[in-house]
Amino acid sequence: MELFKTRLLQQWRFHRKLFRSVADWTTYMYLFIPFGAFIFFLYKETILNGAYGFFHYVPAVPFIFLLLLLGSMGYLRTFEEAADRLFLLQHQRAFRQLKRSAFMYSMLIQAVYVSLCLLALLPLLVHHYQFTALAIGQIVCSMMLYFLVSKSFHFHKWIKAIVQLLIGAGLTGMVVYVSFSTVSITILLIFSCIVYYEKNHIRSNRYFDQHISVEREAYYRWQARIFMVNPELGSLMPEKHSLKAPRFLKGRLFKRSNDATSELMLKTLIRNKRYRWGYVRLVATTIPLYFILPLWADMTLLMLSYYMLNSWLVSVMEEIKGHAVFKVLTIQETAWHMSLQRIKSYAINYVLLFIAIVILLENIFS
């Protein structure tokens, strides 16, 4: 138990150090307080007032299946380390106690996660989908069972995906046709999975390498997500630039001679894979929200998207400007500024204006 506590504290110290290295507490305060207020008023104006938006078009069966997929997120921790093969394997009792405590910790975290998700969706489940208390209890048990099955059994990648889809479909049917017998069967299957995990993962070391891989992924999960948002933080190595001829946009985009700087900036933005997909990710991730949120929230999201895209574009252009080629090729600040404003019009203003028109038309004709 002491070893488990030590490694758990080590995990949270690592997370605290990581978040401190990214930003200080004032940054998180100014980030989370407005975001929390936005989520609160959004939740109050939609779910609590019976304005379910996009959920009106989602039948109960796919919604339940999506809930089960949501419940499978997370990690079944073991807190094992690679060096345990040399030292801790010789002390089986302590090693089993470590894995058993980690399993209980993982199940507790997952139960809290499932409870919070269902608590937030409770008005939707009761008033829109007309689920009874027994059905909600079945959903809770099904989400926990699906989590256990998806994390406990090791198959080939494609076989595991097919098995999970079949199990998800079966559990969805048990929720739709809920009864006391289906709830009892689900609880019995949960205990069976726990017994299986105890026998094959805690009392046995046959999945030691898989445990190490999953544990490493769980330990560095927040670091991986930060690197996903900002890939250049993941390595101090300079980005590799391809010397191949461009595949597209070989001709001139602007005809006037004084548009050479805009031509260079726009083609660099589109041809560079990191810049191109960074822009697509920033725009595409917000598009589904416009069809779910009310009009006032859509307008707020548009303003946030404008400042987010504007900050991203300015940082990208400053990075392009710092390239070694511009130490030889001198471009005046006025030309840079005019070109930046022109790129903003194409990449930000026109795109967000088109989205705003679509939102207004949707609200007028809905």
Side-chain angles (χ1 to χ4, degrees):
M1 196 65 175
E2 291 298 325
L3 181 60
F4 166 73
K5 292 180 180 179
T6 301
R7 294 189 177 180
L8 181 62
L9 290 175
Q10 180 184 4
Q11 166 84 94
W12 286 106
R13 289 194 190 103
F14 173 75
H15 289 330
R16 184 179 63 182
K17 183 178 179 181
L18 175 65
F19 288 120
R20 281 183 175 179
S21 65
V22 174
D24 58 8
W25 66 272
T26 56
T27 304
Y28 291 114
M29 182 182 69
Y30 289 119
L31 177 66
F32 287 129
I33 290 179
F35 181 74
F38 175 76
I39 293 297
F40 171 75
F41 287 109
L42 175 63
Y43 183 76
K44 182 180 178 182
E45 293 293 328
T46 55
I47 300 296
L48 294 183
N49 285 340
Y52 303 122
F54 182 72
F55 290 106
H56 285 294
Y57 307 100
V58 180
V61 173
F63 177 74
I64 295 170
F65 187 75
L66 289 175
L67 269 182
L68 294 178
L69 293 180
L70 187 67
S72 66
M73 298 174 61
Y75 297 93
L76 200 55
R77 305 292 301 275
T78 60
F79 287 94
E80 297 179 30
E81 296 180 359
D84 294 340
R85 190 190 297 273
L86 298 176
F87 302 100
L88 203 56
L89 282 180
Q90 302 175 10
H91 303 84
Q92 288 295 324
R93 184 177 179 181
F95 196 37
R96 291 173 182 173
Q97 184 62 39
L98 171 67
K99 292 190 287 186
R100 192 174 292 115
S101 300
F103 176 75
M104 295 171 61
Y105 169 78
S106 302
M107 292 297 293
L108 177 62
I109 294 296
Q110 187 65 19
V112 172
Y113 168 71
V114 168
S115 300
L116 291 177
C117 289
L118 291 182
L119 186 63
L121 296 173
L122 189 60
L124 179 67
L125 296 173
V126 174
H127 299 294
H128 179 59
Y129 290 109
Q130 303 295 322
F131 285 151
T132 62
L134 186 63
I136 295 175
Q138 176 67 51
I139 293 175
V140 173
C141 295
S142 297
M143 292 176 73
M144 295 301 296
L145 177 60
Y146 196 71
F147 171 74
L148 279 172
V149 171
S150 62
K151 305 302 179 184
S152 301
F153 295 91
H154 295 276
F155 300 107
H156 189 271
K157 181 179 179 180
W158 296 109
I159 297 177
K160 185 176 182 179
I162 295 172
V163 170
Q164 288 182 352
L165 287 175
L166 293 175
I167 293 174
L171 291 175
T172 301
M174 294 175 72
V175 175
V176 174
Y177 302 101
V178 63
S179 63
F180 285 103
S181 59
T182 57
V183 177
S184 302
I185 292 172
T186 308
I187 294 175
L188 181 62
L189 290 174
I190 290 175
F191 280 109
S192 300
C193 287
I194 293 175
V195 172
Y196 173 85
Y197 190 87
E198 172 72 24
K199 180 180 179 181
N200 292 276
H201 293 269
I202 295 179
R203 294 185 175 273
S204 173
N205 299 316
R206 59 182 298 189
Y207 296 113
F208 182 84
D209 293 330
Q210 289 89 335
H211 290 173
I212 293 297
S213 178
V214 173
E215 186 62 28
R216 186 182 296 113
E217 181 182 353
Y219 190 86
Y220 294 104
R221 62 186 181 275
W222 289 110
Q223 191 175 30
R225 290 167 187 172
I226 293 173
F227 292 162
M228 185 184 301
V229 176
N230 198 348
E232 59 268 21
L233 292 177
S235 174
L236 296 178
M237 298 294 293
E239 182 184 2
K240 296 181 180 179
H241 297 279
S242 175
L243 298 178
K244 296 181 181 179
R247 297 180 180 178
F248 42 84
L249 297 180
K250 297 181 180 181
R252 289 288 302 271
L253 297 177
F254 306 109
K255 301 302 181 182
R256 294 182 300 181
S257 59
N258 58 352
D259 290 332
T261 305
S262 301
E263 181 98 10
L264 176 62
M265 293 171 67
L266 186 58
K267 285 187 175 180
T268 303
L269 184 67
I270 297 175
R271 287 173 178 172
N272 187 288
K273 183 178 180 181
R274 180 162 62 87
Y275 299 154
R276 182 172 67 248
W277 289 112
Y279 174 77
V280 171
R281 185 168 59 244
L282 288 175
V283 175
T285 51
T286 59
I287 289 178
L289 296 176
Y290 293 114
F291 298 97
I292 302 175
L293 302 178
L295 181 60
W296 67 268
D298 286 336
M299 295 298 105
T300 305
L301 185 59
L302 277 174
M303 290 187 291
L304 293 175
S305 298
Y306 174 81
Y307 289 111
M308 177 177 63
L309 289 172
N310 184 71
S311 300
W312 176 82
L313 186 61
V314 170
S315 65
V316 166
M317 292 308 164
E318 287 296 326
E319 183 177 333
I320 295 174
K321 186 179 178 182
H323 196 274
V325 69
F326 294 108
K327 296 180 180 179
V328 179
L329 180 63
T330 304
I331 298 179
Q332 296 180 355
E333 287 294 330
T334 305
W336 272 104
H337 180 73
M338 293 178 61
S339 300
L340 179 59
Q341 296 303 317
R342 190 167 188 177
I343 300 301
K344 284 182 181 180
S345 298
Y346 289 112
I348 302 177
N349 298 342
Y350 294 158
V351 173
L352 295 183
L353 180 61
F354 175 76
I355 294 175
I357 293 173
V358 173
I359 292 172
L360 292 176
L361 292 176
E362 181 193 6
N363 283 271
I364 291 173
F365 294 105
S366 61

